[in-house]
Amino acid sequence: MSDPVLNIRDLKLAFRKGRQVTEVLHGISLHVNAGEKVALVGESGSGKSVTAQLALGRLQQERGTLIEGLVQVAGIDATRDPRALARVRGHRVTMIFQDPTSALNPVFRIGEIFAQVLRAGGRHVSDAEARATAEAALAEVHIPDPARALASYPFQLSGGMNQRVMIAMALVNEPELLLADEPGTALDVTVQAQTLKLMDEMVTKKQAAVLFISHNLSVVREFADRVYVIYRGKLVEHGRVDQLFGNPRHPYTRALLAAAPKLVGGGLPDLPEHEPAFRDPLIVHEGCGEPEELRT
Amino acid sequence: MGPILRLLTHRLAISLLVLVGVSMLIFFVARVVPGDPARIALGPNASQEMVDALREARHLNDPIIVQYGWFLRDLVQGDLGTSLYTRRPVTQDIAAYLPATLELVFVAGALMILIGLPLGRVAARYSGHYPDHLARLLSVLAVCTPAFVWGVILQLLLAYIWPVFPLEGRLSTGVVAPDRITGFYTLDALMTGQLGTFFDALYHLILPATALALSGIGQTARLTRSSMIETYRRPYIDMARAYGFSERKIARRYAFRPALIPTLTILGLDFAAMLANAFLVERVFVWPGLSRYGVEVILRKDLDAIVGTVMVIAAMFLITNLVVDVIVSIINPRIRLSERRAKS
């Protein structure tokens, strides 16, 4: 088996502000194999987004960030060599955001942004090549008039269209790993569902691995192969989708599942009665143990 | 009609209205202020008959509203009256003094853009670090010291103690002014191929332009900094970084262009304000400009010249704002395209 494209071992992350140190990740381990779709699920503040930020190498260079453990992305040690990681951002590792419209610069045409994405990692691409590639990529995500979309500004397109553009940008350089941080949560539910289906289709086609970060279990169920459940900076349960949904074992996972149908305002119980459960070791479903060779 | 052209005609019409309003305001205010312009012009030794004759000749005994009527009649013929101080037509005075001020203000404006914007950009990029602190200190210092103080300081340091720059005037003694084409000595010298005169004129511009520009440079730097820092927090900058856009490219283009939009509007106002504020710097550097002329005529209650000067400065304000609006609408597609949408 080839090396996983994302390999996180015993990762601890803390932020220091003045003398106060707040630990937000308490030693998590997860991996994403090539071409695999893995979800990381938890409520806001559980540490799921910072995990993506770390995988992208965005936190390492900031002051007051304390990192311990291993983050390996596409074979690069992201904690020790953030510069090397910076060179692969945008082509070997890419990202899709919550709100596609605000993630696209409002004063540049889609075509200009696209050309810049194609030039990620310092590759030389002529304007004509960039236009042709971008048009083909937009056609692939079923945008009706690619040339016109490229000549438009982000605010002239709908949120759904922008999300398609974002998906096209994320996959045009054939990345090994795509980080999707709550993709499309800013869109309305039907459009979000459509674009997620499209994303699923596209990553399968491009054979990209995905780390899908979400708080929404029903979305994850459709999309992912494996699921990690994170709670307060600790992984609590890990299994294949069918295992986790068929037989949720951790009280937090059950609470998440119970809360799922209430789309808005449901919220999660604070679970004080289950508190001791979080000191338990991670529940790993059968066949989902960490591969022996990854343990370091 | 293109959207920019539409914006232009619309704004021009409004500007014209504003100009009429300004003319009325200054016309009446100048006349309400106590003091007899004829007496001031003729001096304390002139006889009452002479003063009365001058008042009659200038229609000063008519009701103000009638006087305004005379003014409008002359105005449509391109006549702004005659100065009691220089005894020349006001239009001629303005034509003589305006280019000197404009040349000064343009160079100062260029300094504001060329130094203020990059300074703010560097401060934003290294926000909280050493270059930022330095840039902020310099900006605050530049903003809180008035232009004429800068003028005196610069003169003292760079023209007197360490005389690398000329002390005053537009040209060195012995250098003949180039033939008048635009009235800008630098441009005229270039157009007539007199390189020596060009450098001499430029050399004379540096100190007064710097003195005039410093507070604008400081303000531009501060505005650019805060606007850039605000832009750096936007999701599209996260996106740019996630996609490996270089920090340099982000600072120069990707974050800079959206950040420029709010800065530009203020920059335009600053630039226009320099026109009116130049008088102290013109005083310090003995610069024969319009602002200095304006102060002289106000002190002498030279009615026609006051109205003429104020209207020219107001017109410059309006033109600057118009130019800024056009530039902003070019940079900001939201404005440009909403204009188009409004039409269809």
Side-chain angles (χ1 to χ4, degrees), chain B residues 141-182:
Chain B
L141 208 67
V143 171
C144 20
T145 313
F148 68 92
V149 175
W150 280 123
V152 175
I153 293 174
L154 290 175
Q155 244 181 1
L156 205 62
L157 290 179
L158 296 174
Y160 182 71
I161 295 175
W162 190 42
V164 276
F165 288 105
L167 197 60
E168 56 184 38
R170 292 181 80 186
L171 290 172
S172 304
T173 36
V175 177
V176 183
D179 294 339
R180 189 189 165 96
I181 303 167
T182 58

CSV table of all heavy atoms in Angstrom, one decimal, chain B residues 141-182:
chain,number,residue,atom,x,y,z
B,141,LEU,N,4.0,61.2,12.5
B,141,LEU,CA,4.9,62.4,12.5
B,141,LEU,C,4.5,63.3,11.3
B,141,LEU,O,4.4,64.5,11.4
B,141,LEU,CB,6.3,61.9,12.4
B,141,LEU,CG,7.4,62.9,13.0
B,141,LEU,CD1,7.2,62.9,14.5
B,141,LEU,CD2,8.8,62.4,12.7
B,142,ALA,N,4.4,62.7,10.1
B,142,ALA,CA,4.1,63.4,8.9
B,142,ALA,C,2.7,64.0,9.0
B,142,ALA,O,2.5,65.2,8.6
B,142,ALA,CB,4.2,62.5,7.7
B,143,VAL,N,1.7,63.3,9.5
B,143,VAL,CA,0.4,63.8,9.6
B,143,VAL,C,0.2,65.0,10.6
B,143,VAL,O,-0.4,66.0,10.3
B,143,VAL,CB,-0.6,62.7,9.9
B,143,VAL,CG1,-2.0,63.3,10.2
B,143,VAL,CG2,-0.7,61.7,8.8
B,144,CYS,N,0.9,64.8,11.8
B,144,CYS,CA,0.6,65.9,12.7
B,144,CYS,C,1.4,67.1,12.6
B,144,CYS,O,1.1,68.1,13.3
B,144,CYS,CB,0.6,65.4,14.2
B,144,CYS,SG,1.4,63.9,14.6
B,145,THR,N,2.3,67.1,11.7
B,145,THR,CA,3.1,68.4,11.6
B,145,THR,C,2.5,69.1,10.4
B,145,THR,O,2.5,68.6,9.3
B,145,THR,CB,4.6,68.1,11.4
B,145,THR,OG1,5.0,67.1,12.3
B,145,THR,CG2,5.4,69.3,11.5
B,146,PRO,N,2.1,70.4,10.5
B,146,PRO,CA,1.6,71.1,9.4
B,146,PRO,C,2.6,71.4,8.3
B,146,PRO,O,3.8,71.4,8.5
B,146,PRO,CB,1.2,72.5,10.0
B,146,PRO,CG,1.3,72.3,11.5
B,146,PRO,CD,2.1,71.2,11.8
B,147,ALA,N,2.0,71.5,7.1
B,147,ALA,CA,2.9,71.6,5.9
B,147,ALA,C,3.9,72.8,6.0
B,147,ALA,O,5.0,72.6,5.6
B,147,ALA,CB,2.0,71.7,4.7
B,148,PHE,N,3.4,73.9,6.5
B,148,PHE,CA,4.4,75.0,6.5
B,148,PHE,C,5.5,74.8,7.5
B,148,PHE,O,6.6,75.3,7.3
B,148,PHE,CB,3.6,76.4,6.8
B,148,PHE,CG,3.1,76.5,8.2
B,148,PHE,CD1,3.8,77.1,9.2
B,148,PHE,CD2,1.8,76.0,8.5
B,148,PHE,CE1,3.3,77.2,10.5
B,148,PHE,CE2,1.3,76.1,9.8
B,148,PHE,CZ,2.1,76.7,10.8
B,149,VAL,N,5.3,74.0,8.6
B,149,VAL,CA,6.3,73.7,9.5
B,149,VAL,C,7.4,72.8,8.8
B,149,VAL,O,8.6,73.0,8.8
B,149,VAL,CB,5.8,73.0,10.7
B,149,VAL,CG1,7.0,72.6,11.6
B,149,VAL,CG2,4.9,74.0,11.5
B,150,TRP,N,6.8,71.9,8.0
B,150,TRP,CA,7.7,71.0,7.2
B,150,TRP,C,8.5,71.9,6.2
B,150,TRP,O,9.7,71.7,6.0
B,150,TRP,CB,6.9,70.0,6.4
B,150,TRP,CG,6.5,68.8,7.2
B,150,TRP,CD1,5.2,68.3,7.4
B,150,TRP,CD2,7.4,67.9,7.9
B,150,TRP,NE1,5.2,67.2,8.2
B,150,TRP,CE2,6.5,66.9,8.5
B,150,TRP,CE3,8.7,67.8,8.1
B,150,TRP,CZ2,7.0,65.9,9.3
B,150,TRP,CZ3,9.2,66.8,8.9
B,150,TRP,CH2,8.4,65.9,9.5
B,151,GLY,N,7.8,72.9,5.7
B,151,GLY,CA,8.5,73.8,4.7
B,151,GLY,C,9.7,74.4,5.4
B,151,GLY,O,10.8,74.4,4.8
B,152,VAL,N,9.4,75.0,6.5
B,152,VAL,CA,10.5,75.7,7.2
B,152,VAL,C,11.6,74.7,7.6
B,152,VAL,O,12.8,75.0,7.4
B,152,VAL,CB,10.0,76.4,8.5
B,152,VAL,CG1,11.1,77.1,9.2
B,152,VAL,CG2,9.0,77.5,8.0
B,153,ILE,N,11.2,73.5,8.1
B,153,ILE,CA,12.3,72.6,8.5
B,153,ILE,C,13.1,72.1,7.3
B,153,ILE,O,14.3,72.1,7.4
B,153,ILE,CB,11.6,71.3,9.2
B,153,ILE,CG1,10.9,71.7,10.5
B,153,ILE,CG2,12.6,70.2,9.4
B,153,ILE,CD1,10.1,70.6,11.1
B,154,LEU,N,12.4,71.8,6.2
B,154,LEU,CA,13.2,71.4,5.0
B,154,LEU,C,14.1,72.5,4.5
B,154,LEU,O,15.2,72.2,4.2
B,154,LEU,CB,12.2,70.9,3.9
B,154,LEU,CG,11.4,69.7,4.2
B,154,LEU,CD1,10.4,69.4,3.1
B,154,LEU,CD2,12.3,68.5,4.3
B,155,GLN,N,13.6,73.7,4.5
B,155,GLN,CA,14.4,74.8,4.1
B,155,GLN,C,15.6,75.0,4.9
B,155,GLN,O,16.7,75.1,4.4
B,155,GLN,CB,13.5,76.1,4.2
B,155,GLN,CG,13.2,76.8,2.9
B,155,GLN,CD,12.4,78.0,3.1
B,155,GLN,OE1,12.1,78.4,4.2
B,155,GLN,NE2,12.1,78.7,2.0
B,156,LEU,N,15.4,74.9,6.2
B,156,LEU,CA,16.5,75.1,7.2
B,156,LEU,C,17.5,74.0,7.0
B,156,LEU,O,18.7,74.3,6.9
B,156,LEU,CB,15.9,75.0,8.6
B,156,LEU,CG,16.7,75.7,9.7
B,156,LEU,CD1,16.7,77.2,9.4
B,156,LEU,CD2,16.0,75.5,11.0
B,157,LEU,N,17.1,72.7,6.9
B,157,LEU,CA,18.0,71.6,6.8
B,157,LEU,C,18.7,71.5,5.5
B,157,LEU,O,19.9,71.3,5.3
B,157,LEU,CB,17.3,70.3,7.2
B,157,LEU,CG,16.9,70.1,8.6
B,157,LEU,CD1,16.2,68.8,8.8
B,157,LEU,CD2,18.1,70.2,9.6
B,158,LEU,N,17.9,71.5,4.4
B,158,LEU,CA,18.3,71.1,3.1
B,158,LEU,C,18.6,72.3,2.2
B,158,LEU,O,19.1,72.1,1.1
B,158,LEU,CB,17.3,70.1,2.4
B,158,LEU,CG,17.2,68.8,3.1
B,158,LEU,CD1,16.1,68.0,2.5
B,158,LEU,CD2,18.5,68.0,3.1
B,159,ALA,N,18.3,73.5,2.6
B,159,ALA,CA,18.6,74.6,1.7
B,159,ALA,C,19.6,75.6,2.4
B,159,ALA,O,20.3,76.4,1.8
B,159,ALA,CB,17.3,75.3,1.3
B,160,TYR,N,19.6,75.6,3.8
B,160,TYR,CA,20.4,76.5,4.5
B,160,TYR,C,21.6,75.9,5.1
B,160,TYR,O,22.8,76.1,4.8
B,160,TYR,CB,19.5,77.2,5.5
B,160,TYR,CG,20.3,78.3,6.3
B,160,TYR,CD1,20.7,79.5,5.7
B,160,TYR,CD2,20.7,78.1,7.6
B,160,TYR,CE1,21.4,80.5,6.3
B,160,TYR,CE2,21.4,79.1,8.3
B,160,TYR,CZ,21.7,80.3,7.7
B,160,TYR,OH,22.4,81.2,8.3
B,161,ILE,N,21.4,74.9,6.1
B,161,ILE,CA,22.5,74.3,6.8
B,161,ILE,C,23.3,73.4,5.8
B,161,ILE,O,24.5,73.5,5.8
B,161,ILE,CB,22.0,73.5,8.0
B,161,ILE,CG1,21.3,74.4,9.0
B,161,ILE,CG2,23.1,72.7,8.6
B,161,ILE,CD1,20.7,73.7,10.2
B,162,TRP,N,22.6,72.6,5.1
B,162,TRP,CA,23.2,71.8,4.1
B,162,TRP,C,22.6,72.1,2.7
B,162,TRP,O,21.6,71.4,2.3
B,162,TRP,CB,23.0,70.3,4.5
B,162,TRP,CG,23.8,69.3,3.8
B,162,TRP,CD1,25.1,69.4,3.4
B,162,TRP,CD2,23.3,68.0,3.3
B,162,TRP,NE1,25.5,68.3,2.7
B,162,TRP,CE2,24.4,67.4,2.6
B,162,TRP,CE3,22.1,67.4,3.3
B,162,TRP,CZ2,24.3,66.2,2.0
B,162,TRP,CZ3,22.0,66.1,2.7
B,162,TRP,CH2,23.1,65.6,2.1
B,163,PRO,N,23.1,73.1,2.0
B,163,PRO,CA,22.4,73.6,0.9
B,163,PRO,C,22.5,72.8,-0.4
B,163,PRO,O,23.2,73.0,-1.3
B,163,PRO,CB,23.1,75.0,0.7
B,163,PRO,CG,24.5,74.8,1.3
B,163,PRO,CD,24.4,73.7,2.3
B,164,VAL,N,21.7,71.7,-0.4
B,164,VAL,CA,21.6,70.9,-1.6
B,164,VAL,C,20.5,71.3,-2.5
B,164,VAL,O,20.4,71.0,-3.7
B,164,VAL,CB,21.4,69.4,-1.2
B,164,VAL,CG1,22.8,68.7,-1.0
B,164,VAL,CG2,20.5,69.2,-0.1
B,165,PHE,N,19.5,72.0,-1.9
B,165,PHE,CA,18.3,72.4,-2.7
B,165,PHE,C,18.2,73.9,-2.6
B,165,PHE,O,18.6,74.6,-1.7
B,165,PHE,CB,17.0,71.8,-2.2
B,165,PHE,CG,16.9,70.3,-2.5
B,165,PHE,CD1,17.1,69.4,-1.4
B,165,PHE,CD2,16.6,69.9,-3.7
B,165,PHE,CE1,17.0,68.0,-1.7
B,165,PHE,CE2,16.5,68.5,-4.0
B,165,PHE,CZ,16.7,67.6,-3.0
B,166,PRO,N,17.6,74.5,-3.7
B,166,PRO,CA,17.4,76.0,-3.6
B,166,PRO,C,16.4,76.4,-2.6
B,166,PRO,O,15.5,75.6,-2.2
B,166,PRO,CB,16.9,76.3,-5.0
B,166,PRO,CG,16.3,75.0,-5.5
B,166,PRO,CD,17.1,73.9,-4.9
B,167,LEU,N,16.6,77.6,-2.1
B,167,LEU,CA,15.8,78.1,-1.0
B,167,LEU,C,14.4,78.4,-1.4
B,167,LEU,O,13.4,78.1,-0.7
B,167,LEU,CB,16.5,79.3,-0.4
B,167,LEU,CG,16.1,79.8,1.0
B,167,LEU,CD1,16.4,78.7,2.0
B,167,LEU,CD2,16.8,81.1,1.3
B,168,GLU,N,14.2,79.0,-2.5
B,168,GLU,CA,12.9,79.5,-2.9
B,168,GLU,C,12.8,79.7,-4.4
B,168,GLU,O,13.7,79.6,-5.2
B,168,GLU,CB,12.6,80.9,-2.2
B,168,GLU,CG,13.7,81.9,-2.5
B,168,GLU,CD,13.5,83.2,-1.7
B,168,GLU,OE1,13.1,83.1,-0.5
B,168,GLU,OE2,13.7,84.2,-2.3
B,169,GLY,N,11.5,80.1,-4.8
B,169,GLY,CA,11.3,80.4,-6.2
B,169,GLY,C,11.1,79.2,-7.1
B,169,GLY,O,11.2,78.1,-6.7
B,170,ARG,N,10.8,79.5,-8.4
B,170,ARG,CA,10.5,78.4,-9.3
B,170,ARG,C,11.7,78.1,-10.2
B,170,ARG,O,11.9,77.0,-10.8
B,170,ARG,CB,9.3,78.7,-10.3
B,170,ARG,CG,8.0,78.8,-9.6
B,170,ARG,CD,6.9,79.1,-10.6
B,170,ARG,NE,6.5,77.9,-11.3
B,170,ARG,CZ,5.6,77.9,-12.3
B,170,ARG,NH1,5.1,79.1,-12.7
B,170,ARG,NH2,5.3,76.8,-12.9
B,171,LEU,N,12.6,79.1,-10.3
B,171,LEU,CA,13.8,78.9,-11.2
B,171,LEU,C,15.0,79.6,-10.5
B,171,LEU,O,14.8,80.5,-9.7
B,171,LEU,CB,13.6,79.4,-12.6
B,171,LEU,CG,12.7,78.7,-13.5
B,171,LEU,CD1,12.5,79.5,-14.8
B,171,LEU,CD2,13.2,77.3,-13.9
B,172,SER,N,16.2,79.2,-10.8
B,172,SER,CA,17.4,79.9,-10.3
B,172,SER,C,17.5,81.2,-11.0
B,172,SER,O,17.0,81.4,-12.1
B,172,SER,CB,18.6,79.1,-10.6
B,172,SER,OG,18.5,77.8,-10.0
B,173,THR,N,18.1,82.2,-10.3
B,173,THR,CA,18.3,83.5,-11.0
B,173,THR,C,19.2,83.2,-12.2
B,173,THR,O,20.2,82.5,-12.1
B,173,THR,CB,19.0,84.5,-10.1
B,173,THR,OG1,19.9,83.8,-9.2
B,173,THR,CG2,18.0,85.2,-9.2
B,174,GLY,N,18.9,83.9,-13.3
B,174,GLY,CA,19.7,83.7,-14.5
B,174,GLY,C,19.1,82.7,-15.4
B,174,GLY,O,19.4,82.7,-16.6
B,175,VAL,N,18.2,81.8,-14.9
B,175,VAL,CA,17.6,80.9,-15.8
B,175,VAL,C,16.3,81.5,-16.3
B,175,VAL,O,15.5,82.0,-15.5
B,175,VAL,CB,17.3,79.6,-15.0
B,175,VAL,CG1,16.5,78.6,-16.0
B,175,VAL,CG2,18.5,78.9,-14.5
B,176,VAL,N,16.2,81.5,-17.6
B,176,VAL,CA,15.0,82.2,-18.2
B,176,VAL,C,13.8,81.2,-18.3
B,176,VAL,O,14.0,80.0,-18.6
B,176,VAL,CB,15.3,82.6,-19.7
B,176,VAL,CG1,14.1,83.3,-20.3
B,176,VAL,CG2,16.5,83.5,-19.6
B,177,ALA,N,12.7,81.7,-17.9
B,177,ALA,CA,11.5,80.8,-18.0
B,177,ALA,C,11.2,80.3,-19.4
B,177,ALA,O,11.4,81.1,-20.3
B,177,ALA,CB,10.3,81.5,-17.4
B,178,PRO,N,10.9,79.1,-19.6
B,178,PRO,CA,10.6,78.6,-20.9
B,178,PRO,C,9.4,79.2,-21.5
B,178,PRO,O,8.6,79.8,-20.8
B,178,PRO,CB,10.4,77.1,-20.7
B,178,PRO,CG,9.9,77.0,-19.3
B,178,PRO,CD,10.6,78.1,-18.6
B,179,ASP,N,9.3,79.2,-22.9
B,179,ASP,CA,8.1,79.8,-23.5
B,179,ASP,C,6.9,79.1,-23.0
B,179,ASP,O,6.8,77.9,-22.7
B,179,ASP,CB,8.2,79.5,-25.0
B,179,ASP,CG,9.4,80.2,-25.7
B,179,ASP,OD1,9.8,81.2,-25.0
B,179,ASP,OD2,9.8,79.8,-26.7
B,180,ARG,N,5.8,79.9,-22.8
B,180,ARG,CA,4.7,79.4,-22.1
B,180,ARG,C,3.8,78.5,-23.1
B,180,ARG,O,3.4,79.0,-24.1
B,180,ARG,CB,3.8,80.6,-21.6
B,180,ARG,CG,2.7,80.1,-20.8
B,180,ARG,CD,1.7,81.3,-20.5
B,180,ARG,NE,0.5,80.7,-20.0
B,180,ARG,CZ,0.2,80.7,-18.7
B,180,ARG,NH1,1.1,81.1,-17.8
B,180,ARG,NH2,-0.9,80.2,-18.3
B,181,ILE,N,3.7,77.3,-22.7
B,181,ILE,CA,2.8,76.4,-23.5
B,181,ILE,C,1.7,76.0,-22.5
B,181,ILE,O,0.5,76.2,-22.7
B,181,ILE,CB,3.5,75.2,-24.1
B,181,ILE,CG1,4.7,75.7,-25.0
B,181,ILE,CG2,2.5,74.3,-24.9
B,181,ILE,CD1,5.7,74.6,-25.4
B,182,THR,N,2.1,75.3,-21.4
B,182,THR,CA,1.2,74.9,-20.4
B,182,THR,C,1.2,75.7,-19.2
B,182,THR,O,0.3,75.7,-18.4
B,182,THR,CB,1.5,73.4,-20.0
B,182,THR,OG1,2.8,73.4,-19.5
B,182,THR,CG2,1.3,72.5,-21.1
